[in-house]
Amino acid sequence: MTGLDALTFKPWIKRYPADVSARPTLVFPHAGGAALAYRGFGTALAAAGSDAYVMQYPQRGDRLTHPAPATVAELAEDLFGAGDWAGIGPLRLFGHCMGAVVAFEFARVAERRGVGIEALWVSASEAPSAAASAPALPMAESEILAEMVDLGGTDPALLADEDFVELLLMAVRADYAAFNRYACGEDVKVATDIFAVGGQGDHRISEDMLRRWEVHTEGAFTVSMFDGGHFYLNEFTADVAELVNDL
């Protein structure tokens, strides 16, 4: 980022601007995910007509030394404080897996601060109330790596690289620890519309699970399903970007 962007947004927010003035879409990665992993999606959003801003969580990438927030709510506050979101107009939010819950909490912060949220896209994620009551996520190295293999989305060759695994474990543990402390009741809602999206072949998050997001909005709700598994987004990057931008 340069010029005004450099003054109003933290440098670790990765921006992919559209060729012409466009509505902003903020992207929230999955647990353990770095902003770099969403470069393709950010580029696709820009090509579809969105100004994309990909969030970077602490304990990875250029935030490697930043302390991990203790809770998802603290992470959302951290991300909200990283940019002049009120200055770029109504926001669209897109979160994948754990990132959907982070985006939900970001929307709650934004609505309390008077920043308009145009839409919340939640991808391959349990609803907040369901996530809060789910069993604790694993913290042991062997269990985390088994989880990564089961979810897919990570190159198996990278999981054989000790240096990569060390960094991955740092990021995942930070996110899982915050997620394990998460609390949210079914009565907690955002005013913005929620659009759920997932993969037909996702063995972790079913369409019925996605539909539980409906209780968390005071607005409209829809579900869209693509072929593919938990990381269907990697296969249908351009299609999902078009879906988000067509709103």
Side-chain angles (χ1 to χ4, degrees), residues 20-78:
V20 296
S21 180
R23 294 177 298 176
T25 300
L26 280 56
V27 178
F28 298 79
H30 59 280
L36 183 61
Y38 288 78
R39 179 173 56 187
F41 187 49
T43 301
L45 284 168
S50 292
D51 278 336
Y53 297 78
V54 182
M55 302 293 102
Q56 183 84 290
Y57 306 155
Q59 300 282 284
R60 73 213 70 193
D62 44 1
R63 301 195 70 189
L64 191 62
T65 61
H66 292 197
T71 66
V72 175
E74 288 182 19
L75 175 56
E77 288 277 4
D78 170 77

Side-chain angles (χ1 to χ4, degrees), residues 129-143:
S129 53
S133 61
L137 294 166
M139 298 298 286
E141 176 177 342
S142 60
E143 292 176 320

Side-chain angles (χ1 to χ4, degrees), residues 142-167:
S142 60
E143 292 176 320
I144 290 174
L145 293 180
E147 182 92 345
M148 297 299 101
V149 171
D150 183 63
L151 287 170
T154 304
D155 186 343
L158 291 176
L159 294 177
D161 184 317
E162 291 184 2
D163 292 334
F164 174 82
V165 167
E166 182 179 359
L167 294 173

Side-chain angles (χ1 to χ4, degrees), residues 82-196:
D84 177 21
W85 305 116
I88 60 174
L91 309 174
R92 289 178 294 185
L93 312 179
F94 183 99
H96 184 73
C97 197
M98 171 187 150
V101 177
V102 179
F104 175 77
E105 291 299 326
F106 185 100
R108 294 180 67 197
V109 174
E111 289 181 352
R112 289 196 298 268
R113 308 286 176 79
V115 175
I117 302 297
E118 188 175 22
L120 170 60
W121 290 87
V122 295
S123 170
S125 172
E126 285 191 289
S129 53
S133 61
L137 294 166
M139 298 298 286
E141 176 177 342
S142 60
E143 292 176 320
I144 290 174
L145 293 180
E147 182 92 345
M148 297 299 101
V149 171
D150 183 63
L151 287 170
T154 304
D155 186 343
L158 291 176
L159 294 177
D161 184 317
E162 291 184 2
D163 292 334
F164 174 82
V165 167
E166 182 179 359
L167 294 173
L168 176 65
L169 289 171
M170 181 185 301
V172 173
R173 282 184 176 130
D175 295 344
Y176 278 12
F179 213 60
N180 284 340
R181 301 184 184 100
Y182 187 61
C184 183
E186 289 190 354
D187 59 332
V188 178
K189 301 177 186 291
V190 290
T192 189
D193 300 337
I194 293 181
F195 302 96

